[in-house]
Amino acid sequence: MAAVLNRVRSTPRSCREGRLPDLLSRSSWPPARALRFREAARRPQPAFRQCRHEPGFKPIFLGTVDPRSEMAGFRRVANSQKCVRAGGRHNDLEDVGRDLSHHTFFEMLGNWAFGGEYFKEEACSMAWELLTQVYGIPEDRLWVSYFNGDSKTGLDPDLETRDIWLSLGVPASRVLSFGLQENFWEMGDTGPCGPCTEIHYDLAGGVGSPQLVELWNLVFMQHYREADGSLQLLPQRHVDTGMGLERLVAVLQGKRSTYDTDLFSPLLDAIHRSCGVPPYSGRVGAADEGRIDTAYRVVADHIRTLSVCIADGVSPGMSGAPLVLRRILRRAVRYSTEVLQAPPGFLGNLVPVVVETLGAAYPELQKNSVKIASLVSEDEAAFLASLQRGRRIIDRSVKRLGPSDLFPAEVAWSLSLSGNLGIPLDLVELMLEERGVMLDTAGLEKLAQKEAQHRAQQADADQEEGLCLDVHALEELHRQGIPPTDDSPKYNYSLCPNGDYEFGLCEARVLQLYSETGTAVTSVGAGQRCGLLLDRTNFYAEQGGQASDRGYLVRTGQQDVLFPVARAQVCGGFILHEAKAPECLQVGDRVQLYVDKAWRMGCMVKHTATHLLSWALRQTLGPTTEQRGSHLNPERLRFDVTTQAPLTTEQLRTVESYVQEAVGQDKPVYMEEVPLAHTAHIPGLRSLDEVYPDPVRVVSVGVPVAHALAPASQAAMQTSVELCCGTHLLSTGAVGDLVIIGDRQLVKGITRLLAITGEQAQQAREVGQSLSQEVEAASERLSRGSGDLPEAHRLSKDIGRLTEVAESAVIPQWQRQELQATLKMLQRRANTAIRKLEISQATEKSQELLKRHSEGPLIVDTVSAESLSVLVKVVRQLCKQAPSMSVLLLSPQPTGSVLCACQVAQGATPTFTAEAWALAVCSHMGGKAWGSRVVAQGTGHTADLEAALGTARAYALNQL
């Protein structure tokens, strides 16, 4: 069966005319085309895509697909895709382990028909043919369901599908109807959706009551859910089907459970060998004593999910998909350690088994096997350490609770995935339940709501509001025969001999206008915000990480009235310009477009710098280094890159030096459009996980494109050669300089870099140099030493100030790391010097006090001390030299406050505590105190020190 499975998993291809392709045979697949289909079906992070509306094909449903891309020509497609259901609308995480069929990761086999290429009748008949004739599944074990309508939304029953199944010979008794929840597919709150028909398999086989498990879901995309909840018909109809490979294999192998198939048996065997628990026996519910079989299923499922996701570039992290993966890993650790009693490093040792079972179908697993095992093992160890810390915190907090007190929500939150330690809240509740303590769930709910509101506000702040063309507007443009916008003039610029760039004028005609609400109009009036669709444009629409152009347009012949253009967006090949009309503008008007030169130049500089940075990182970190995203505007650029560990100071310096060298050589930048097929096998050619148009634009630094793409060329290994549709400099010199000003790990294995260029970069270097000189001066002051405590405190404060400046200043990151290390060392030395001076001063003052108080059980007095730290040291020195004495000292300060410190003698009565003594005196002075039974301190305000001292003596004598 293993060989069959690998064929079933194979890369997507277009369907043969008139029937579903035989997924068990791929001998006739055209390899190059199959590869491109696979890439189309796997973007951007295939493991974290849900089963429907995957981002690879969603642009087709919405009409936003680039008409120049290969995907625009897709009509029939069959594919296999990785799916994870562990968050959002479709979430199976909590069901995994409890039954025999649910998984967080599974492989989805699908066939697709776009634009009405075929619809219900063909989809149903081909599915029935494949299951019953190709796979040989008995017809009498298959049941089907269809949508029975919904009166609230006005949706009619899908009687057409019902009749199709009846015509195929399915008995009416096995054709069932259900409502919105069961037979109307929606991926999210908005977007493409439609009625679906499901094919179910009867596990009982006619013995007793049917036991149905869903096998295949056929979705008929014909509606669009708007933001207000209403449903609109899509302009074109599509078919999107999905059949889980795991369930299909169970049926073909005659198993009642997916976990009993050879997809899982190697993992279950490996778990048994490692943990010493009884073999897996498939028990569920109350029969699963000790939850051992549940743990088997959880661990087997979760390690597959972890391996596949990490191989696709998603690592456990703190938000979004990485946070979901972090939760999955912690759930696996819980079950493996608490139920299976697994040894440390257990999960990481299961990764090779996953690679062995799935690696032939997914080479990325083999390529990243060491990285996957390392990440899993590290996170497993970190979570176990957090679990130990969490138990200590819980024990400490429980001791402080009264008999009926609830466990504080704030403490539970700090332990959780949303807080500091990353312990799932359900585990926190379980740990409290074991101690007989109830959690403040109401308080926890408030904290969760507050966190959700905070994230929503952040999301709203990050999300720019803008006009856009929806699926209906795009279909109307196609109906009218309006061609996609010609945006080739965006590349119409040249470099003048004096080093300036000249941007060509673009004349265009207004084809369509849209109001602020997105409604198509024939004209807009003065003061209106509107969207303009032109036949051609020289504006760069935001895409590929590059910010949109800004600028203005004027009506031809009326140069004194400017229509400001805030941004441009691309949608289905159309460029929509967002503008504000100072006067009336009508469809058919002729206009001239002018890009904001400074803004465009800033973007061009940053985009070329991004390519140089990507090349420099590969040179420094190795050829397997991959870009994981970028965004740039004239102010700065952001670049996400795969890394084995955070970049070191030396690596950051090296990356900058590579870029500086390329900039200093003022290398020419070549750009040329070439057929996409010519770029398929060029060593070192950089391309992101995106759908590129055909032909595609290639950007090459220092080497002509034709030479870089020559079959035997190694140019792309030695310089920057990338597929890119952005706008670039024509030579690298205008970058001026590049400085990396920040780096942080987004998740394990991915680092985000922030960089600036040109004058900003030079200023950053100057600020860094100035700050470095200040740090050096502080080091010299410290080396000279000081016998004066106030001077030592001033120096310590100056070092602290420099530390804060080094943290926030815009300087090279490598220099920041160097300065922070130096300042940390200087701060330690300064603190040591202060401590020595304080001890010396305390020794001197304690000797003076001992001369005045040579007898008696108490020393209650005043002494001059510059800080509470010095005062506590004086008290400790006194008690060290006179162990039988209890000491309380007050120290009036120039600010009017009074410091208090005390220590109780070792032989004092149990009722006499330092904390209570200090509290009695400081309360008298209107202040507060804190400490322990032996040593305490506090502050207060009083003009009558003698009265305070009297209170101190009276309290102590009463206790003694």
Side-chain angles (χ1 to χ4, degrees):
M1 180 58 74
V4 172
L5 297 183
N6 283 335
R7 290 188 188 129
V8 173
R9 282 197 202 96
S10 300
T11 53
R13 75 171 179 97
S14 58
C15 294
R16 292 197 292 267
E17 187 70 26
R19 55 172 281 121
L20 186 73
D22 179 357
L23 292 176
L24 297 181
S25 172
R26 65 175 188 181
S27 58
S28 62
W29 292 19
R33 186 166 178 80
L35 174 63
R36 290 197 292 275
F37 273 117
R38 185 182 190 207
E39 291 305 310
R42 292 183 52 203
R43 293 183 188 89
Q45 294 171 337
F48 263 94
R49 185 184 305 121
Q50 303 287 352
C51 305
R52 299 286 177 271
H53 314 336
E54 53 151 334
F57 295 144
K58 189 172 181 179
I60 301 179
F61 297 152
L62 298 179
T64 58
V65 63
D66 189 330
R68 299 172 299 167
S69 69
E70 183 185 33
M71 188 188 294
F74 287 0
R75 292 296 176 266
R76 301 181 176 212
V77 171
N79 77 337
S80 168
Q81 66 185 80
K82 308 171 192 172
C83 300
V84 170
R85 288 168 65 116
R89 188 185 186 99
H90 300 279
N91 183 356
D92 289 343
L93 181 57
E94 295 304 326
D95 292 324
V96 172
R98 295 181 180 179
D99 60 23
L100 300 175
S101 60
H102 277 95
H103 301 287
T104 51
F105 160 72
F106 56 98
E107 300 176 78
M108 181 66 77
L109 310 176
N111 60 287
W112 314 66
F114 303 117
E117 176 70 11
Y118 64 78
F119 206 49
K120 296 179 181 179
E121 183 173 359
E122 296 87 344
C124 294
S125 61
M126 288 191 292
W128 193 254
E129 177 186 351
L130 182 66
L131 293 177
T132 61
Q133 297 181 31
V134 179
Y135 293 156
I137 299 174
E139 293 186 12
D140 60 4
R141 298 192 71 167
L142 295 176
W143 295 58
V144 296
S145 63
Y146 68 94
F147 180 54
N148 65 6
D150 182 73
S151 58
K152 291 182 179 179
T153 54
L155 292 171
D156 294 328
D158 188 5
L159 301 181
E160 179 185 1
T161 298
R162 181 202 62 181
D163 293 341
I164 291 170
W165 288 122
L166 294 174
S167 70
L168 289 171
V170 183
S173 59
R174 297 207 304 272
V175 180
L176 312 176
S177 64
F178 297 100
L180 280 173
Q181 187 171 352
E182 295 83 7
N183 279 91
F184 192 88
W185 182 268
E186 297 189 72
M187 187 61 250
D189 294 331
T190 62
C193 54
C196 64
T197 181
E198 296 176 344
I199 304 175
H200 298 261
Y201 180 76
D202 181 11
L203 295 172
V207 179
S209 300
Q211 298 178 29
L212 302 182
V213 60
E214 179 191 338
L215 188 60
W216 202 345
N217 190 1
L218 286 62
V219 181
F220 306 123
M221 298 291 186
Q222 55 191 99
H223 299 280
Y224 186 91
R225 178 76 71 178
E226 302 285 358
D228 61 3
S230 63
L231 286 171
Q232 304 290 335
L233 281 174
L234 283 171
Q236 293 186 317
R237 302 184 303 180
H238 314 276
V239 171
D240 168 4
T241 85
M243 174 165 53
L245 173 67
E246 291 78 6
R247 294 187 182 181
L248 173 63
V249 170
V251 170
L252 296 181
Q253 292 185 347
K255 306 293 185 181
R256 293 180 63 84
S257 166
T258 55
Y259 290 95
D260 293 330
T261 67
D262 57 6
L263 285 170
F264 285 91
S265 55
L267 273 170
L268 299 175
D269 291 342
I271 293 170
H272 173 57
R273 290 194 303 270
S274 298
C275 299
V277 291
Y280 177 73
S281 59
R283 296 168 300 178
V284 294
D288 183 17
E289 187 175 348
R291 300 186 302 162
I292 291 177
D293 284 347
T294 298
Y296 265 106
R297 290 187 289 270
V298 168
V299 172
D301 171 89
H302 288 8
I303 194 61
R304 282 171 30 111
T305 304
L306 289 162
S307 299
V308 167
C309 291
I310 294 172
D312 282 335
V314 185
S315 299
M318 294 303 295
S319 63
L323 179 60
V324 174
L325 201 61
R326 190 174 183 225
R327 186 182 176 200
I328 290 172
L329 194 148
R330 275 148 172 68
R331 195 168 185 264
V333 173
R334 281 177 53 199
Y335 276 94
S336 63
T337 57
E338 294 178 5
V339 181
L340 299 176
Q341 303 299 311
F346 164 70
L347 289 179
N349 292 333
L350 291 179
V351 171
V353 185
V354 177
V355 174
E356 185 178 348
T357 56
L358 295 176
Y362 303 119
E364 58 271 21
L365 281 167
Q366 297 173 334
K367 176 184 175 183
N368 296 288
S369 60
V370 175
K371 173 186 174 183
I372 298 166
S374 174
L375 278 174
V376 169
S377 297
E378 288 178 17
D379 212 292
E380 178 184 3
F383 178 54
L384 290 174
S386 294
L387 210 53
Q388 290 181 346
R389 288 181 58 199
R391 287 194 178 99
R392 290 196 296 268
I393 292 171
I394 288 175
D395 288 339
R396 191 164 59 244
S397 300
V398 167
K399 287 178 181 178
R400 298 173 182 170
L401 298 178
S404 59
D405 289 347
L406 295 175
F407 190 84
E410 294 79 6
V411 178
W413 187 260
S414 71
L415 298 173
S416 71
L417 281 164
S418 301
N420 300 319
L421 294 186
I423 303 174
L425 281 171
D426 56 350
L427 179 55
V428 174
E429 288 191 78
L430 182 63
M431 293 162 72
L432 291 174
E433 185 180 324
E434 292 170 352
R435 291 160 176 79
V437 177
M438 296 289 291
L439 175 62
D440 179 9
T441 53
L444 201 62
E445 181 64 27
K446 290 180 181 178
L447 290 173
Q449 290 176 354
K450 186 176 179 181
E451 173 74 7
Q453 289 172 356
H454 176 68
R455 290 186 178 179
Q457 289 170 355
Q458 281 188 323
D460 290 342
D462 293 340
Q463 186 176 8
E464 290 185 50
E465 291 186 6
L467 302 175
C468 62
L469 299 178
D470 62 19
V471 62
H472 306 291
L474 289 169
E475 180 62 22
E476 179 61 21
L477 292 173
H478 292 309
R479 190 190 64 78
Q480 295 178 21
I482 297 177
T485 310
D486 175 13
D487 64 345
S488 60
K490 68 188 178 188
Y491 299 126
N492 184 17
Y493 54 91
S494 58
L495 180 59
C496 302
N498 64 358
D500 290 339
Y501 279 77
E502 183 176 311
F503 296 90
L505 174 69
C506 179
E507 294 192 353
R509 184 167 65 90
V510 179
L511 299 181
Q512 188 59 271
L513 291 166
Y514 295 92
S515 69
E516 195 166 354
T517 61
T519 304
V521 294
T522 57
S523 66
V524 292
Q528 280 188 272
R529 182 166 164 256
C530 62
L532 294 92
L533 207 58
L534 310 173
D535 59 346
R536 60 201 310 264
T537 183
N538 59 350
F539 276 67
Y540 183 86
E542 181 160 356
Q543 56 187 314
Q546 178 177 332
S548 161
D549 275 341
R550 298 177 180 178
Y552 64 92
L553 58 85
V554 298
R555 282 181 298 199
T556 303
Q558 192 174 355
Q559 303 292 322
D560 56 337
V561 180
L562 307 183
F563 292 74
V565 177
R567 67 175 184 171
Q569 299 180 75
V570 62
C571 193
F574 297 98
I575 308 296
L576 187 67
H577 303 73
E578 188 176 314
K580 190 169 185 179
E583 290 188 0
C584 179
L585 190 66
Q586 296 180 331
V587 171
D589 283 351
R590 304 292 303 184
V591 296
Q592 295 175 336
L593 293 90
Y594 299 85
V595 297
D596 182 326
K597 293 183 179 180
W599 181 272
R600 165 67 81 84
M601 276 301 299
C603 288
M604 288 165 54
V605 165
K606 294 296 187 300
H607 208 150
T608 301
T610 300
H611 282 215
L612 293 176
L613 177 60
S614 178
W615 166 75
L617 285 163
R618 294 199 309 279
Q619 295 295 107
T620 304
L621 304 179
T624 59
T625 303
E626 295 181 2
Q627 178 179 340
R628 287 297 183 189
S630 68
H631 189 270
L632 63 99
N633 60 34
E635 294 301 314
R636 62 181 57 184
L637 66 89
R638 183 190 77 212
F639 191 91
D640 299 341
V641 61
T642 58
T643 54
Q644 294 299 320
L647 271 68
T648 65
T649 300
E650 190 55 39
Q651 286 172 333
L652 289 167
R653 292 185 71 161
T654 302
V655 169
E656 284 188 10
S657 68
Y658 274 120
V659 176
Q660 284 179 305
E661 181 181 359
V663 171
Q665 293 173 354
D666 196 18
K667 294 183 176 183
V669 179
Y670 299 95
M671 289 165 278
E672 186 178 330
E673 285 193 346
V674 300
L676 186 60
H678 289 185
T679 69
H681 305 292
I682 305 301
L685 177 71
R686 305 302 293 173
S687 62
L688 298 181
D689 214 359
E690 295 179 355
V691 177
Y692 290 97
D694 192 5
V696 66
R697 197 169 180 82
V698 178
V699 179
S700 175
V701 175
V703 178
V705 172
H707 175 60
L709 298 186
S713 175
Q714 293 293 309
M717 302 293 291
Q718 295 142 7
T719 188
S720 171
V721 183
E722 299 196 24
L723 304 183
C724 180
C725 298
T727 57
H728 284 269
L729 297 171
L730 299 178
S731 64
T732 60
V735 172
D737 193 4
L738 179 138
V739 167
I740 299 170
I741 60 170
D743 73 330
R744 67 182 179 92
Q745 277 201 296
L746 294 180
V747 293
K748 184 74 174 177
I750 299 181
T751 297
R752 170 164 292 177
L753 302 176
L754 296 179
I756 52 178
T757 59
E759 291 184 7
Q760 287 180 308
Q762 287 298 321
Q763 290 172 2
R765 294 195 190 279
E766 292 171 4
V767 172
Q769 184 62 28
S770 175
L771 185 57
S772 181
Q773 291 171 356
E774 287 192 63
V775 172
E776 189 175 342
S779 178
E780 291 176 0
R781 285 171 59 193
L782 188 59
S783 297
R784 289 196 298 269
S786 173
D788 181 55
L789 191 56
E791 171 59 26
H793 277 295
R794 282 194 293 271
L795 178 55
S796 176
K797 192 173 292 185
D798 288 345
I799 293 172
R801 176 187 59 81
L802 288 172
T803 300
E804 291 178 359
V805 173
E807 176 69 28
S808 59
V810 179
I811 60 174
Q813 185 67 6
W814 63 263
Q815 191 170 37
R816 189 191 320 279
Q817 292 178 355
E818 285 187 347
L819 292 176
Q820 286 175 329
T822 300
L823 287 164
K824 186 176 181 179
M825 179 268 295
L826 292 178
Q827 192 69 70
R828 282 200 303 265
R829 287 175 54 193
N831 292 342
T832 300
I834 289 172
R835 191 161 52 251
K836 288 180 178 179
L837 288 169
E838 287 182 346
I839 291 172
S840 175
Q841 192 179 94
T843 301
E844 181 182 335
K845 293 181 183 297
S846 64
Q847 290 173 351
E848 293 176 0
L849 286 165
L850 275 175
K851 291 177 182 177
R852 298 206 302 268
H853 302 274
S854 57
E855 297 180 1
L858 291 176
I859 296 179
V860 176
D861 208 338
T862 62
V863 67
S864 62
E866 294 173 354
S867 67
L868 199 52
S869 174
V870 173
L871 189 62
V872 171
K873 286 182 174 65
V874 175
V875 169
R876 286 184 176 279
Q877 289 277 0
L878 283 169
C879 290
K880 184 178 181 180
Q881 297 176 52
S884 62
M885 288 187 175
S886 296
V887 179
L888 184 144
L889 299 178
L890 299 179
S891 178
Q893 300 296 300
T895 59
S897 65
V898 178
L899 306 179
C900 172
C902 65
Q903 182 169 334
V904 173
Q906 296 177 2
T909 61
T911 58
F912 185 25
T913 68
E915 186 177 17
W917 194 12
L919 183 60
V921 176
C922 292
S923 297
H924 173 83
M925 297 189 296
K928 57 183 179 179
W930 59 94
S932 66
R933 294 181 56 85
V934 180
V935 182
Q937 52 196 291
T939 60
H941 287 79
T942 183
D944 191 350
L945 280 175
E946 284 302 323
L949 292 171
T951 300
R953 291 190 191 95
Y955 182 89
L957 291 172
N958 184 53
Q959 295 296 319
L960 292 172

